[in-house]
Amino acid sequence: MSKISEKVSALARPVVEEEGCKLWDVEYVREAGSWYLRIFIDKEGGVGIDDCERISRRLDPMLDEADPIPDSYVFEVGSAGAERELKRPSDFEQFMGSEVELKTYKPVDGKKAFVGKLSAYNDGDVEITVGDKPMSFAKADVAMVKLHVSI
């Protein structure tokens, strides 16, 4: 996590929790020539637009006052989403047994994307069960793991 993300997380967490939500992630990224500060929230039963609006209205003046970002940026508050990326060990623990999509940097058996049940996580190494076949992936080979919603 970048220093800006860490500063914003520390500032946002109490506000997000006071509003009955959980801070899922903070992202500070450059896209299409503009900087974006995104705060992703979660709560039991799902996040609504009202949750995002309340938190955004409370955090916006606090961010202006604390001024953790020297450049101009677009500020967004949104839901972590049904297909959220799993990043921290606690994320993997929380969603153990859930269906995930795992992407690799290099092809494995001719593929770079796998969908299966999250069956193990150990210090970045991930195991998923595809059908009835367990597949293990080393931390260095895993580009991304996110929840997968089948339709």
Side-chain angles (χ1 to χ4, degrees):
M1 190 177 276
S2 75
K3 288 185 182 205
I4 288 174
S5 295
E6 290 171 9
K7 288 178 186 176
V8 172
S9 290
L11 184 70
R13 182 168 277 105
V15 171
V16 170
E17 289 174 357
E18 285 171 16
E19 292 294 337
C21 297
K22 174 184 172 188
L23 181 64
W24 181 262
D25 199 10
V26 174
E27 178 179 89
Y28 183 61
V29 295
R30 188 169 178 89
E31 293 177 2
S34 296
W35 283 98
Y36 288 83
L37 174 63
R38 294 187 178 114
I39 295 179
F40 296 101
I41 58 174
D42 192 22
K43 81 173 185 184
E44 193 69 36
V47 171
I49 189 75
D50 292 341
D51 298 310
C52 298
E53 184 179 357
R54 274 193 324 276
I55 290 168
S56 176
R57 289 185 189 274
R58 286 192 59 195
L59 285 177
D60 195 34
M62 294 172 73
L63 289 167
D64 285 345
E65 185 177 319
D67 201 22
I69 303 170
D71 306 309
S72 63
Y73 59 91
V74 177
F75 176 52
E76 300 174 345
V77 176
S79 167
E83 292 194 337
R84 68 192 68 184
E85 187 173 353
L86 305 182
K87 296 180 178 180
R88 297 168 294 272
S90 61
D91 301 344
F92 287 89
E93 182 180 310
Q94 179 180 351
F95 291 103
M96 193 61 60
S98 299
E99 190 170 56
V100 297
E101 178 179 0
L102 182 144
K103 293 187 178 183
T104 58
Y105 292 110
K106 296 178 184 173
V108 175
D109 298 333
K111 297 178 2 181
K112 290 175 72 174
F114 303 86
V115 174
K117 298 274 186 205
L118 180 61
S119 50
Y121 178 83
N122 185 19
D123 197 29
D125 296 340
V126 180
E127 182 179 293
I128 63 173
T129 304
V130 180
D132 59 356
K133 176 185 173 190
M135 298 184 73
S136 295
F137 300 87
K139 179 179 181 176
D141 299 329
V142 177
M144 184 261 314
V145 179
K146 69 177 186 171
L147 293 178
H148 180 79
V149 178
S150 298
I151 351 181

